[in-house]
Amino acid sequence: LLKIEAALNTFHHKLCCCCFSSPRLFLPHQVMKTCHKMGIQTVAVHSDVDASAVHVKMANEAVCVGPAPTSKSYLNMDAIMDAVRATGAQAVHPGYGFLSENKEFAKRLAAEGVAFIGPDTYALQAMGDKIESKLIAKAATVNTIPGYDGVVKTVEEAVKISQDIGYPVMIKASAGGGGKGMRIAWNDEETREGFRFSSQEAASSFGDDRLLIEKFIDNPRHIEIQVLADKHGNALWLNERECSIQRRNQKVVEEAPSTFLDAATRRAMGEQAVQLAKAVQYSSAGTVEFLVDSNKNFYFLEMNTRLQVEHPITECITGLDLVEQMIRVAKGYKLQHKQEDIPINGWAIESRVYAEDPYKSFGLPSIGRLSRYQEPLNLSNVRVDSGIQEGSDISIYYDPMISKLVTYGATRAEALASMEDALDNYVIRGVTHNISLLREIITHPRFISGDISTNFLPEVYPDGFKGHQLEADSRRELLAAAAALHITAQLRSQRRAPSVATRCPCVKVEVDGQWNLASPLLPLAINGTHRMLQCLSRDASGKIVLQYLGTSFKVRVLSKLAAQLNSYMPEKVPEDTSSLLRSPMPGAVVTVSVKPGDSVAEGQEICVIEAMKMQNSLTAARQAKVKSVHCKPGETVGEGDLLVELE
Amino acid sequence: MAAFTAALRSGALINGLRASFRTLPPVKYGAVAAAVPPTNLPRGCRWSSASALSVKERIDHKRKTALCGGGQHRIDAQHKKGKLTARERVELLLDPESFVESDMFVEHRCSDFGMEQDGNKFPGDSVVTGRGRINGRLVYVFSQDFTVFGGSLSGAHAQKICKIMDQAMMVGAPVIGLNDSGGARIQEGVESLAGYADIFLRNVMASGVVPQISLIMGPCAGGAVYSPALTDFTFMVKDTSYLFITGPDVVKSVTNEDVTQEELGGAKTHTTVSGVAHHAFEDDVEALLNVREFFNFLPLSNQDAAPIRECHDRSDRLVHSLDTIVPFETTKAYDMLDIVHATVDESDFFEIMPNYAKNIVVGFARMNGRTVGIVGNQPKVASGCLDINSSVKGARFVRFCDAFNIPIITFVDVPGFLPGTAQEYGGIIRHGAKLLYAFAEATVPKITVITRKAYGGAYDVMSSKHLRGDVNYAWPTAEVAVMGAKGAVQIIFRGKENQAEAEAEYVEKFANPFPAALRGFVDDIIEPSTTRRRICRDLEVLASKKQLNPWKKHANIPL
């Protein structure tokens, strides 16, 4: 490896690498690390809101390509081409999302003699289009899902095709990926609705409203194969990633390898993936996604011609630096490895830490400023890929991902234990995050036994995610910890040395720890068990919010006297909200379907809010007459803002 | 007091008395006469004539009676309203078993309207007074007892309060008043009014000597409101406390306005509209526990230094989030509270008047354990400009800190004073002068951090070097100038063609900290992340600061 780096240095010491990507900017961060390791100069392009992002600081040069909306910055090809010219960059790493799979962009780069770090335009074109990719896959004898291959133009056509295939069907944007513009329909009515939403979303996200429809495989696993190919016709498969834990078709927890595949299935999938890569003369790193049913039948889903968000877990178990491999391939080197050299060493898990409220349909975006942010990097076998830092703003303009948290272990159990610790030690303040959901997933018996599918979340939490459910013991632990914390703070005010042992009703719970009232982390030994709690807030009246086992709990600690007197205090009645429709998340109003005086039925759509490129239809909670409308299309609204009032 | 006398003269208060009298019982606002329950005790039951009982038994009996206030059914009624009794409040406010009561045997001396009957005498009358400790620190407390004549103020009641206030002044300890009183005891007439005045006088004498805190936990109406108004801090309990000169009935009869008790003088009104109260809490328990916490910030008297608490937050902690907090666009807002929370110990900030004149942020925090007063312009609200309300809010806070040796840290991002007829007619000139006056006369350690804009006269006002700021810092984003680029260019280059170029020149010259720094008006331009470390170090040095203003009888602040 050293020799190759040296070789690259001699050839490329003037090569610039122009990276841009999802504004949470994990990848540029990593690309720059690798480039700097390889002695390559880097240029970062960024939108004006990302001017102080980490990747911009890491780069040797930085160019601002426009204002926050992606269509004016990260999707603005002209501005990016100007930046490439101005800085004299010799190659462009497109990151993921945005232009990474845009054939037009690759063409324009090629025309200027700038290398595109990724597959060539033919492969991009072939695989970037879901309809075409399916045809090619079929031709390359890759298993595919029954469905309609072609552009669906009208609603009625969509309904007819769906009926032919047989419900359930999946409607998705031809150009899309990552769950955007993707809907499942179980009947004609849902097909119509899905068609409308998917084409709108496809148009707003990809500028291409073509759709395709295919058979929806119920209860499948989502398993993907990482491939790596060079420009000399060589291709390797770098094992699988299990990405079945999803919500709204977006991945939440991924692991490599999969608990489900045996060696034969793995080989069969790997070989088909390589066949497909070769069929399109693929070069660079890519991912072939499969759906796998309970009988280990697998079907080709799509091929992603870019580095995936979850690529670090493959790096963990194979020991390869995929970014480095991509740069090598782009420069025309042959692959260094043979298929039999690719190992599976240990187990890696990735949790996607999102700025989302997991209590609302497993995650609705939240925004804010990271007032406190501390990654659990002090733990071993933990890798955190993030492009943010304390003080960063999470805005409504892009994906709400905070980081990719990866843990590694010799066994799956080890990797999971590390993940548990890492989640407990992760300090995020200022935005709502999904640590509680992640921790519940990775400690759930079904997940631990490997019994998962893409329906894992709705099956395990049919009534929605409600946080960790406390049992008698854990409840006592929590209360004891809160009481000990409160007492420590009280004693400090009296300037006495803290002593800690608290008594819950009837049961004595020993709490021991190094009490630092300034630290967000509370390492405690509760009855001898080591627990990492986090104090989210505490006030003088004994209201304490603790993060315990991933979930935040509100606790009230009162002295005996105060508790007794508190029984006289009246319950404060919260405002009746059934007649108020409030925005569940920050975003922009797309349409408002009602006006004052209209009658609405229960479940009828009232308005549509778009946030982070997702359109969310808000419906009436009950039958009522519309009293007033407080928003109009195009307006930006905050979480909790009043949109429509019913009578 | 001006308003009080005016009210008297206009008869509003008298109306209040009459109105209340008519509607008795139950207890109303303004002033109160408790209904005199017919006593059916036989004459022979009078303790004075029952010589069979020993003195000791009589003492025990009186004490027992005193502890019951107005009797169980009134205590139950109090609880039913979601309110605690006077004694429960004292018990919760003070450290366990620290309360030392005084004047438990005092009774009212009224003999009119049947008040002389035994059934109308309650040992201790309608207030509980004494001293105790909060986290071991001495405090004097009075707690009005609504269960006795609706907490109405008799001569004896006032005398009890005055006694503990005199003692508090003598030993140098704060006074906390827990107000829950229907008003004057009408049966006592002028004696009751005299009682109020005695308390007012002591409030004024104690002002700036010992901290005085009022916690309004029930009605407080008529002349009674002026005692809380004279104290340093007035806190209220949501939904159960009211402060007004005259109640809704009188308002209706005089001005024909329909207004509820809550709208007229509830916690929301006074913490958001009038600025009379400094904070509101959800209920009695929360209020009392929070006052305990608040008390930790205060010195016991003007002879004490700002208290220092054990600190777990490193004083040299770098705050990286501050490096990116000020947006690049000078017109974009950010939250000054984020800066405050990130800078102070443990993000622990007790904000004063968080919902009133929100364009200025004031409150108490600690730096390396030492209490400090924080003043900051809030760019999020009205661009952080100074207007009448924010100037008055800031001025009063600064003067409190100065009176009680609490160092002041000022974060400046101010585009100027708010223009407009509403402000000019309202007297922004004399009100703005209050904040200027307060900062200028303050002799406690003053540290100023200019985070962004410091424009015009408002720059001078906000604890500038020129007003004896001890340490004045600028962040690299600071702009100290007479005004923003656009306005300035229109004046300097009036009629010139290339305004954009002129504007760029102006920005280059003035929209940065250099003009102020090279004249020594700011001591240093610092990296925002080092702000906490710098301030903590400076406070160590300034702890021994000594500065005296010229002798005067008292200063003449533009009121």
Side-chain angles (χ1 to χ4, degrees), chain A residues 374 376 379 405 417-429 435-436 439 442-443 520-523 530-535 547-551:
Chain A
Q374 201 175 304
L379 306 176
L405 176 62
S418 297
M419 181 58 79
E420 221 177 292
D421 277 351
L423 290 169
D424 283 342
N425 280 277
Y426 209 138
V427 178
I428 304 169
R429 300 285 188 279
I435 298 267
S436 55
R439 199 184 190 284
I442 61 140
T443 54
L521 292 171
L522 292 176
H530 285 275
R531 292 261 186 234
M532 181 61 79
L533 277 73
Q534 297 193 21
C535 176
Q547 183 179 317
Y548 170 68
L549 302 175
T551 298

Side-chain angles (χ1 to χ4, degrees), chain B residues 57 62 79 88 96-97 180 183 191 206 232 250 271 285 293 332 356 382 425 450 452 473 483 491 515 530 540 546 558:
Chain B
E57 279 171 318
K62 285 272 186 202
H79 285 159
E88 287 167 343
E97 284 154 41
D180 188 0
E191 173 126 18
D232 298 302
V250 181
T271 52
V285 170
E293 180 77 2
K332 212 169 147 189
Y356 175 79
Y425 296 171
I450 302 174
R452 192 166 62 181
Y473 291 123
M483 58 177 75
I491 297 168
T530 63
E540 291 299 324
K546 287 206 168 55

Side-chain angles (χ1 to χ4, degrees), chain B residues 490-511:
Chain B
Q490 276 168 11
I491 297 168
I492 306 175
F493 302 100
R494 194 188 296 268
K496 266 212 177 163
E497 294 218 334
N498 206 338
Q499 293 276 315
E501 197 177 285
E503 206 174 307
E505 189 192 332
Y506 185 90
V507 166
E508 175 71 26
K509 226 174 215 156
F510 290 129

Side-chain angles (χ1 to χ4, degrees), chain A residues 46-352:
Chain A
H46 59 88
S47 72
D48 57 5
V49 291
D50 288 327
S52 56
V54 177
H55 83 293
V56 176
K57 287 188 185 155
M58 281 179 75
N60 303 89
E61 283 179 70
V63 181
C64 177
V65 290
T70 50
S71 59
K72 291 183 181 154
S73 51
Y74 296 107
L75 286 172
N76 183 348
M77 266 189 244
D78 291 333
I80 289 164
M81 291 307 299
D82 287 345
V84 169
R85 266 179 242 122
T87 55
Q90 291 161 281
V92 170
H93 194 299
Y96 19 73
F98 302 120
L99 298 175
S100 66
E101 293 174 285
N102 188 304
K103 55 185 190 271
E104 200 54 42
F105 182 57
K107 256 188 215 160
R108 288 182 66 169
L109 285 175
E112 307 235 350
V114 177
F116 177 82
I117 302 181
D120 61 25
T121 45
Y122 170 69
L124 268 180
Q125 181 153 10
M127 293 293 112
D129 189 303
K130 286 195 177 154
I131 297 166
E132 200 180 333
S133 72
K134 229 171 140 183
L135 295 172
I136 294 171
K138 244 184 199 166
T141 66
V142 174
N143 308 350
T144 55
I145 304 171
Y148 175 77
D149 305 332
V151 179
V152 186
K153 290 204 186 62
T154 67
V155 176
E156 288 322 308
E157 197 184 338
V159 171
K160 189 176 172 305
I161 293 165
S162 304
Q163 285 168 349
D164 289 347
I165 298 171
Y167 288 107
V169 297
M170 168 105 79
I171 302 167
K172 52 187 184 180
S174 184
K180 284 172 186 169
M182 200 185 278
R183 301 273 158 169
I184 295 156
W186 295 78
N187 53 45
D188 293 354
E189 189 46 43
E190 287 178 13
T191 304
R192 288 192 189 96
E193 196 181 318
F195 180 86
R196 190 159 55 85
F197 268 111
S198 294
S199 50
Q200 269 176 26
E201 266 180 31
S204 77
S205 291
F206 314 108
D208 178 351
D209 61 357
R210 291 176 305 148
L211 298 177
L212 80 120
I213 300 176
E214 67 187 17
K215 173 91 181 163
F216 173 63
I217 294 166
D218 201 11
N219 238 13
R221 283 168 178 260
H222 176 121
I223 299 177
E224 59 192 27
I225 302 284
Q226 175 73 51
V227 293
L228 182 64
D230 63 17
K231 292 180 174 172
H232 306 277
N234 303 309
L236 297 171
W237 47 275
L238 307 180
N239 300 315
E240 80 280 8
R241 290 187 290 259
E242 162 84 72
C243 311
S244 296
I245 306 291
Q246 305 186 344
R247 53 112 181 78
R248 299 195 304 268
N249 289 315
Q250 278 187 305
K251 296 158 190 167
V252 182
V253 175
E254 298 110 336
E255 61 184 313
S258 164
T259 54
F260 190 59
L261 296 193
D262 50 44
T265 317
R266 178 174 297 128
R267 171 173 298 275
M269 289 173 72
E271 281 171 356
Q272 285 201 6
V274 164
Q275 274 166 35
L276 178 64
K278 286 184 173 166
V280 291
Q281 289 135 44
Y282 196 83
S283 65
S284 191
T287 301
V288 182
E289 296 188 346
F290 291 100
L291 283 184
V292 183
D293 70 15
S294 49
N295 299 319
K296 296 196 174 124
N297 297 316
F298 55 91
Y299 305 96
F300 169 72
L301 199 60
E302 60 176 315
M303 179 167 187
N304 293 314
T305 55
R306 55 177 153 90
L307 215 47
Q308 301 271 94
V309 171
E310 59 274 22
H311 76 273
I313 53 176
T314 298
E315 296 185 333
C316 281
I317 61 161
T318 60
L320 293 175
D321 180 336
L322 289 175
V323 173
E324 187 184 322
Q325 299 299 325
M326 282 176 84
I327 296 172
R328 289 187 80 258
V329 168
K331 194 57 203 165
Y333 290 100
K334 278 191 183 174
L335 294 180
Q336 303 161 273
H337 303 88
K338 296 210 163 51
Q339 188 62 51
E340 55 270 27
D341 299 338
I342 305 302
I344 298 183
N345 287 329
W347 215 284
I349 317 254
E350 175 180 286
S351 294
R352 296 193 184 188

Side-chain angles (χ1 to χ4, degrees), chain A residues 51-52 57 369 371 389-391 490 492-495 515-518 538 540-541 543 556 558 561-562 565-566 568-570 572, chain B residues 79 82 84 88 91-92 135 238-239 282-286 289-290 292-293 296 308-313 321 324-325 328 338 346:
Chain A
S52 56
K57 287 188 185 155
R369 185 171 179 279
S371 55
Q389 55 195 335
E390 196 164 288
Q490 296 290 309
R492 175 173 66 167
S493 295
Q494 296 165 16
R495 290 173 193 79
W515 297 98
N516 182 326
L517 293 167
R538 61 183 164 82
S541 62
K543 287 179 183 156
R556 181 100 190 253
L558 291 172
L561 172 71
L565 296 179
N566 202 49
Y568 298 123
M569 295 298 104
K572 302 270 167 164
Chain B
H79 285 159
L84 298 180
E88 287 167 343
E91 215 181 335
L92 192 54
N135 289 317
K238 287 180 192 167
D239 303 326
E282 285 303 323
D283 55 44
D284 279 17
V285 170
E286 220 185 290
L289 294 176
N290 272 294
R292 278 179 67 85
E293 180 77 2
N296 290 340
I308 299 179
R309 188 177 76 175
E310 172 190 312
C311 175
H312 292 183
D313 204 352
S321 68
T324 54
I325 194 161
F328 288 101
D338 284 345
E346 300 168 23

Side-chain angles (χ1 to χ4, degrees), chain A residues 506-613:
Chain A
C506 328
V507 188
K508 193 173 167 194
V509 181
E510 297 270 357
V511 182
D512 212 340
Q514 294 183 326
W515 297 98
N516 182 326
L517 293 167
S519 164
L521 292 171
L522 292 176
L524 301 181
I526 307 176
N527 279 343
T529 313
H530 285 275
R531 292 261 186 234
M532 181 61 79
L533 277 73
Q534 297 193 21
C535 176
L536 304 182
S537 75
R538 61 183 164 82
D539 76 5
S541 62
K543 287 179 183 156
I544 298 178
V545 184
L546 286 179
Q547 183 179 317
Y548 170 68
L549 302 175
T551 298
S552 50
F553 293 97
K554 286 182 191 161
V555 182
R556 181 100 190 253
V557 182
L558 291 172
S559 67
K560 206 171 169 185
L561 172 71
Q564 185 199 328
L565 296 179
N566 202 49
S567 63
Y568 298 123
M569 295 298 104
E571 284 281 335
K572 302 270 167 164
V573 195
E575 127 193 80
D576 175 25
T577 53
S578 73
S579 63
L580 303 174
L581 183 73
R582 292 179 182 281
S583 176
M585 74 209 117
V589 180
V590 182
T591 55
V592 182
S593 325
V594 296
K595 54 185 188 303
D598 286 2
S599 289
V600 290
E602 186 186 326
Q604 187 179 332
E605 180 185 296
I606 291 184
C607 63
V608 177
I609 302 284
E610 181 175 302
M612 276 82 173
K613 299 277 165 218

